[in-house]
Amino acid sequence: MAAEIIPWRATVLTLFPEMFPGPLGASLAGKALASGLWALEARDIRDSATDRHRSVDDTPAGGGPGMVLRADVLAAAIDAADSAADRPRDRPRLLMSPRGRPLTQSWVRELAAGPGPLIVCGRFEGIDQRVIEARRLEEVSIGDYVLSGGEIAAFAVIDACVRLLPGVMGKPASGAEESFSEGLLEYPQYTRPQDFEGRTIPEILLSGDHAKIAAWRQAEAEALTRARRPDLWAARQAPSAPRQKRPKNTTEG
Ligand code: ADE
């Protein structure tokens, strides 16, 4: 009997499972989800609450504002998700958090190449530190700003991965060529009409000379990267330094 192919799967632990699939149910990701190229499982953390009020949070030890997600409830939710999964052992466990390691395209590529992550969405003031350590959650940030919860950040992680899965994008070349694949921002694109409010398409793009067009695009991409992202440009100028590399996770549980 042929071995069953288990698709890439994102398991999301959230207090708002009704938010999913949300935007991931539309466009390319949504079509791929519907056709079984990947799978999405949203699990309600509250299902792991044990008291009769189904409470998941409590006041912070030491005082202060807000509420903290309880370690016992979240650990039970993670364990339940793992025991229900086909391949829990090699699955990365992520915690969406503004204090996490910044998400990069190379990390996305790693996640897309694996079985698919378990993603914990934080809410309230935070999560009890002990469950982060005990269940070896890797904290991921999608940028230096604070969202009201991890769900929107989880959409970003999943979307970035799903578009790299085989069969999801129309044309394989378009995934590789764009921003960040070569450490450069994307060159400008044009299409019809030839004249838009007096602005015309750069002559060279209409020349049919593919070598010249490629050189022009490369120069534009480099100029944009220098002007807008000196950090990316500097990393590119020092090729011996690892580019967009993620340091090893040193958290010990
Ligand atoms: N949760 C709240 N803000 C976040 C951010 N910037 N990245 C990831 N998760 C978050």
Side-chain angles (χ1 to χ4, degrees):
M1 199 173 74
E4 193 197 346
I5 296 168
I6 302 166
W8 190 91
R9 174 166 64 192
T11 298
V12 181
L13 300 188
T14 170
L15 289 163
F16 302 96
E18 68 278 10
M19 285 190 187
F20 292 85
L24 298 169
S27 192
L28 284 181
K31 271 190 207 144
L33 182 60
S35 65
L37 285 173
W38 67 289
L40 176 65
E41 182 193 9
R43 300 175 68 99
D44 193 344
I45 295 170
R46 202 172 290 281
D47 289 345
S48 296
T50 50
D51 66 352
R52 70 191 169 88
H53 301 293
R54 301 186 81 210
S55 49
V56 294
D57 57 340
D58 213 326
T59 53
M67 300 291 270
V68 177
L69 199 53
R70 288 171 56 128
D72 54 349
V73 174
L74 183 54
I78 292 167
D79 295 345
D82 273 354
S83 62
D86 312 305
R87 294 171 296 178
R89 270 170 294 128
D90 53 358
R91 176 162 71 157
R93 290 193 189 128
L94 310 179
L95 167 61
M96 302 317 303
S97 159
R99 73 175 197 188
R101 187 171 296 145
L103 186 69
T104 60
Q105 188 63 24
S106 67
W107 193 356
V108 166
R109 272 194 291 268
E110 242 177 74
L111 292 170
L118 177 137
I119 304 178
V120 176
C121 298
R123 282 269 155 180
F124 313 109
E125 294 309 302
I127 286 177
D128 190 307
Q129 181 63 29
R130 293 167 298 176
V131 70
I132 299 174
E133 294 166 9
R135 292 298 180 273
R136 294 170 180 263
L137 302 180
E138 200 169 358
E139 296 181 62
V140 187
S141 167
I142 64 158
D144 289 340
Y145 42 81
V146 182
L147 302 165
S148 55
E151 287 78 8
I152 288 174
F155 288 143
V157 172
I158 296 169
D159 182 83
C161 291
V162 164
R163 60 185 290 286
L164 299 182
L165 299 177
V168 173
M169 294 257 290
K171 216 170 107 217
S174 51
E177 265 177 28
E178 69 200 6
S179 293
F180 301 118
S181 285
E182 301 298 329
L184 288 176
L185 301 183
E186 209 178 353
Y187 52 78
Q189 296 277 19
Y190 302 86
T191 186
R192 280 190 286 266
Q194 214 268 349
D195 185 318
F196 167 67
E197 298 181 352
R199 296 164 193 266
T200 55
I201 296 176
E203 208 56 49
I204 193 154
L205 297 177
L206 309 172
S207 69
D209 185 333
H210 296 300
K212 273 198 181 144
I213 290 169
W216 181 87
R217 285 176 166 167
Q218 178 74 18
E220 289 287 316
E222 289 180 6
L224 266 179
T225 308
R226 276 177 105 134
R228 292 187 184 173
R229 293 292 303 274
D231 56 326
L232 289 181
W233 184 252
R236 202 179 140 78
Q237 298 314 107
S240 54
R243 205 183 328 142
Q244 292 191 16
K245 262 272 180 256
R246 180 167 61 97
K248 279 265 172 292
N249 182 12
T250 52
T251 307
E252 289 303 319

